[in-house]
Amino acid sequence: MRRRVKNMNEVKLFQLCTKASEFDGEFKWQAAGMSYMICLSDNSFVMIDGGYEEDAEPLISKMRELSGESVPCVRLWIITHPHEDHYRALFHVATNDRLRSSVDIKRLCYSIPKDG
């Protein structure tokens, strides 16, 4: 049974670069494509964005490494805005049977602005 975080010192924040931003890709500045993984004291995660499609597998691997779980639990995955460098990793996980079964995503939070 997982427990609630009582001490914020037990929470770890990891800033992750997507492959595109790591190599100063199409955006030409290092902050583009960033995502954040918050590892909670129960070894579950809160994910903010996630990167491009090619970032999905390394992201899940990092979750496995940090949690020690073969199927890590994401309590909440937040998509901040609908740019590909923020949502494509999650889209790839959701549309790939192998990846979808390799991570347990409990909730998704997003806001897609209306056109115009």
Side-chain angles (χ1 to χ4, degrees):
M1 181 174 174
R2 299 194 186 271
R3 63 184 175 92
R4 292 190 182 270
V5 176
K6 294 179 182 172
N7 180 352
M8 287 307 290
N9 292 329
E10 298 176 352
V11 175
K12 299 174 188 118
L13 174 68
F14 298 90
Q15 184 180 29
L16 308 166
C17 284
T18 66
K19 289 187 181 194
S21 66
E22 184 177 312
F23 298 110
D24 202 22
E26 67 180 284
F27 293 105
K28 305 297 182 213
W29 55 289
Q30 283 301 111
M34 291 289 189
S35 60
Y36 296 90
M37 181 183 341
I38 302 167
C39 183
L40 303 173
S41 63
D42 64 356
N43 292 326
S44 66
F45 298 92
V46 173
M47 194 63 222
I48 302 172
D49 294 325
Y52 288 106
E53 182 174 317
E54 65 266 19
D55 298 306
E57 291 194 47
L59 184 64
I60 292 170
S61 292
K62 187 67 172 176
M63 287 181 195
R64 283 185 182 131
E65 174 190 329
L66 292 170
S67 70
E69 302 286 335
S70 59
V71 179
C73 176
V74 177
R75 295 266 169 224
L76 176 64
W77 196 312
I78 301 166
I79 301 296
T80 60
H81 61 282
H83 287 166
E84 288 190 11
D85 61 320
H86 293 262
Y87 76 83
R88 288 300 292 186
L90 177 61
F91 182 82
H92 186 55
V93 169
T95 58
N96 180 295
D97 290 338
R98 182 181 56 80
L99 291 178
R100 189 171 51 245
S101 65
S102 68
V103 63
D104 182 16
I105 302 170
K106 299 292 188 186
R107 289 195 173 137
L108 175 62
C109 178
Y110 61 92
S111 178
I112 307 298
K114 294 180 182 178
D115 288 272

